[in-house]
Coordinates of all heavy atoms in Angstrom, one line a residue:
K72 N 12.5 13.0 -0.2 CA 11.7 12.0 0.4 C 10.6 11.5 -0.6 O 10.2 10.4 -0.7 CB 11.1 12.6 1.8 CG 10.1 11.7 2.3 CD 8.9 12.5 2.7 CE 7.8 11.6 3.2 NZ 7.0 11.1 2.2
G73 N 10.0 12.5 -1.3 CA 9.0 12.3 -2.2 C 9.5 11.2 -3.3 O 8.8 10.3 -3.8
L74 N 10.7 11.5 -3.9 CA 11.2 10.7 -4.9 C 11.5 9.3 -4.5 O 11.3 8.3 -5.2 CB 12.5 11.4 -5.6 CG 12.2 12.7 -6.3 CD1 13.5 13.2 -6.8 CD2 11.3 12.3 -7.5
F75 N 12.1 9.2 -3.2 CA 12.4 7.9 -2.7 C 11.0 7.1 -2.5 O 10.9 6.0 -2.7 CB 13.0 8.0 -1.2 CG 13.2 6.8 -0.6 CD1 14.2 6.0 -0.9 CD2 12.3 6.5 0.4 CE1 14.4 4.7 -0.3 CE2 12.5 5.2 1.1 CZ 13.6 4.3 0.7
D76 N 9.9 7.8 -2.0 CA 8.6 7.1 -1.9 C 8.1 6.7 -3.2 O 7.6 5.6 -3.4 CB 7.7 8.0 -1.1 CG 7.8 8.0 0.3 OD1 8.5 7.0 0.8 OD2 7.2 8.8 1.1
A77 N 8.3 7.5 -4.2 CA 7.7 7.2 -5.6 C 8.3 6.0 -6.1 O 7.8 5.2 -6.9 CB 7.9 8.3 -6.5
F78 N 9.7 5.7 -5.7 CA 10.4 4.5 -6.2 C 10.2 3.4 -5.2 O 9.9 2.3 -5.7 CB 11.9 4.9 -6.3 CG 12.7 3.6 -6.6 CD1 12.7 3.0 -7.9 CD2 13.6 3.1 -5.6 CE1 13.5 1.9 -8.1 CE2 14.2 1.9 -5.9 CZ 14.2 1.4 -7.1
N79 N 10.3 3.6 -4.1 CA 10.3 2.6 -3.0 C 8.8 1.9 -2.8 O 8.8 0.7 -2.7 CB 10.7 3.1 -1.7 CG 10.8 2.1 -0.6 OD1 11.6 0.9 -0.9 ND2 10.4 2.3 0.6
D80 N 7.9 2.7 -2.8 CA 6.4 2.1 -2.6 C 6.1 1.0 -3.6 O 5.7 -0.1 -3.2 CB 5.4 3.2 -2.6 CG 5.6 4.0 -1.3 OD1 6.4 3.7 -0.4 OD2 5.0 5.1 -1.3
P81 N 6.2 1.2 -4.9 CA 5.9 0.2 -5.9 C 6.9 -1.1 -5.7 O 6.4 -2.2 -5.9 CB 6.1 0.8 -7.2 CG 6.0 2.3 -7.0 CD 6.5 2.5 -5.6
V82 N 8.2 -0.8 -5.4 CA 9.1 -2.0 -5.2 C 8.6 -2.9 -4.0 O 8.6 -4.1 -4.1 CB 10.5 -1.4 -5.0 CG1 11.5 -2.5 -4.5 CG2 11.1 -0.8 -6.3
M83 N 8.3 -2.2 -3.0 CA 7.8 -2.9 -1.7 C 6.5 -3.6 -2.0 O 6.3 -4.8 -1.6 CB 7.7 -2.1 -0.6 CG 9.0 -1.6 0.1 SD 10.1 -3.0 0.4 CE 9.3 -3.9 1.6
G84 N 5.6 -3.0 -2.9 CA 4.4 -3.6 -3.2 C 4.7 -5.0 -4.0 O 3.9 -5.9 -3.7
F85 N 5.5 -4.7 -4.9 CA 5.9 -5.9 -5.9 C 6.5 -7.0 -4.9 O 6.2 -8.2 -5.1 CB 7.1 -5.4 -6.7 CG 7.6 -6.6 -7.8 CD1 6.8 -6.8 -8.8 CD2 8.7 -7.1 -7.4 CE1 7.3 -7.8 -9.6 CE2 9.2 -8.1 -8.2 CZ 8.5 -8.4 -9.4
M86 N 7.4 -6.8 -3.8 CA 7.9 -7.7 -3.0 C 6.9 -8.4 -2.1 O 6.9 -9.6 -2.0 CB 9.1 -7.1 -2.2 CG 10.3 -6.7 -3.1 SD 11.5 -5.8 -2.1 CE 12.0 -6.9 -0.8
T87 N 6.0 -7.6 -1.6 CA 5.0 -8.2 -0.7 C 3.9 -9.1 -1.5 O 3.5 -9.9 -1.0 CB 4.3 -7.1 0.1 OG1 3.6 -6.2 -0.7 CG2 5.3 -6.3 1.1
D88 N 3.7 -8.6 -2.7 CA 2.7 -9.3 -3.5 C 3.3 -10.8 -3.8 O 2.5 -11.6 -4.0 CB 2.5 -8.7 -4.8 CG 1.5 -7.5 -4.7 OD1 0.9 -7.4 -3.7 OD2 1.4 -6.6 -5.7
R89 N 4.5 -10.9 -3.9 CA 5.0 -12.2 -4.3 C 5.6 -13.0 -3.1 O 6.2 -14.1 -3.2 CB 6.4 -11.9 -5.3 CG 5.7 -11.8 -6.6 CD 6.5 -10.9 -7.4 NE 6.0 -10.7 -8.8 CZ 5.0 -9.8 -9.0 NH1 4.3 -9.2 -8.1 NH2 4.5 -9.7 -10.2
T90 N 5.4 -12.5 -1.8 CA 5.8 -13.2 -0.7 C 4.7 -14.4 -0.4 O 3.5 -14.1 -0.4 CB 5.7 -12.3 0.6 OG1 6.7 -11.3 0.3 CG2 6.0 -13.1 1.8
R91 N 5.3 -15.4 -0.2 CA 4.3 -16.7 0.1 C 4.8 -17.3 1.5 O 6.0 -17.7 1.5 CB 4.4 -17.7 -1.0 CG 4.0 -17.3 -2.4 CD 2.5 -17.1 -2.6 NE 2.2 -16.7 -3.9 CZ 1.7 -15.5 -4.3 NH1 1.4 -14.6 -3.2 NH2 1.5 -15.2 -5.4
S92 N 4.0 -17.2 2.4 CA 4.4 -17.7 3.7 C 3.1 -18.3 4.4 O 1.9 -18.0 4.0 CB 5.1 -16.7 4.6 OG 4.0 -15.8 5.1
R93 N 3.3 -19.0 5.4 CA 2.0 -19.5 6.1 C 1.3 -18.5 6.8 O 0.2 -18.7 7.2 CB 2.6 -20.6 7.1 CG 3.4 -20.2 8.3 CD 3.8 -21.2 9.2 NE 4.7 -20.6 10.2 CZ 5.1 -21.3 11.3 NH1 4.6 -22.5 11.5 NH2 5.8 -20.7 12.1
W94 N 1.8 -17.3 7.0 CA 1.2 -16.1 7.6 C 0.5 -15.2 6.6 O 0.0 -14.2 7.1 CB 2.1 -15.3 8.6 CG 2.8 -16.1 9.6 CD1 2.1 -16.8 10.5 CD2 4.2 -16.3 9.8 NE1 3.1 -17.5 11.3 CE2 4.4 -17.1 11.0 CE3 5.3 -15.8 9.3 CZ2 5.6 -17.4 11.6 CZ3 6.6 -16.1 9.8 CH2 6.7 -16.9 10.8
G95 N 0.8 -15.5 5.3 CA 0.1 -14.6 4.3 C 1.2 -13.9 3.6 O 2.5 -14.0 3.8
R96 N 0.8 -12.8 2.9 CA 1.7 -12.1 2.1 C 2.3 -10.8 2.9 O 3.4 -10.6 2.7 CB 1.0 -11.5 0.8 CG 0.6 -12.6 -0.1 CD 0.0 -12.1 -1.4 NE -1.1 -11.1 -1.1 CZ -1.8 -10.5 -2.0 NH1 -1.5 -10.7 -3.3 NH2 -2.8 -9.7 -1.8
R97 N 1.4 -10.2 3.5 CA 1.9 -9.0 4.3 C 2.4 -9.1 5.7 O 3.4 -8.3 6.1 CB 0.8 -7.9 4.2 CG 0.1 -7.6 2.9 CD 1.0 -6.9 2.0 NE 0.2 -6.4 0.8 CZ 0.0 -7.0 -0.2 NH1 0.5 -8.2 -0.4 NH2 -0.6 -6.5 -1.2
R98 N 1.7 -10.0 6.4 CA 2.2 -10.1 7.8 C 3.6 -10.3 8.2 O 4.1 -9.7 9.1 CB 1.2 -11.2 8.5 CG 1.3 -11.2 10.0 CD 0.4 -12.1 10.6 NE -1.1 -11.6 10.4 CZ -2.0 -12.5 10.4 NH1 -1.9 -13.7 10.6 NH2 -3.2 -12.0 10.0
P99 N 4.5 -11.2 7.4 CA 5.8 -11.2 7.7 C 6.5 -9.8 7.6 O 7.4 -9.6 8.5 CB 6.3 -12.3 6.7 CG 5.1 -13.0 6.3 CD 4.0 -12.1 6.4
W100 N 6.2 -9.2 6.7 CA 6.8 -7.8 6.5 C 6.5 -6.8 7.6 O 7.4 -6.2 8.1 CB 6.3 -7.2 5.1 CG 6.9 -7.9 3.9 CD1 6.3 -8.9 3.3 CD2 8.2 -7.7 3.4 NE1 7.1 -9.4 2.2 CE2 8.3 -8.7 2.3 CE3 9.2 -6.9 3.6 CZ2 9.4 -8.7 1.5 CZ3 10.4 -7.0 2.8 CH2 10.4 -7.8 1.8

Side-chain angles (χ1 to χ4, degrees):
K72 180 229 172 268
L74 292 175
F75 176 76
D76 279 346
F78 172 75
N79 187 47
D80 291 350
V82 170
M83 287 306 299
F85 178 83
M86 291 170 63
T87 62
D88 283 345
R89 280 150 183 76
T90 299
R91 303 284 182 246
S92 75
R93 63 181 177 169
W94 299 307
R96 294 186 306 180
R97 310 283 194 271
R98 191 171 293 155
W100 290 95

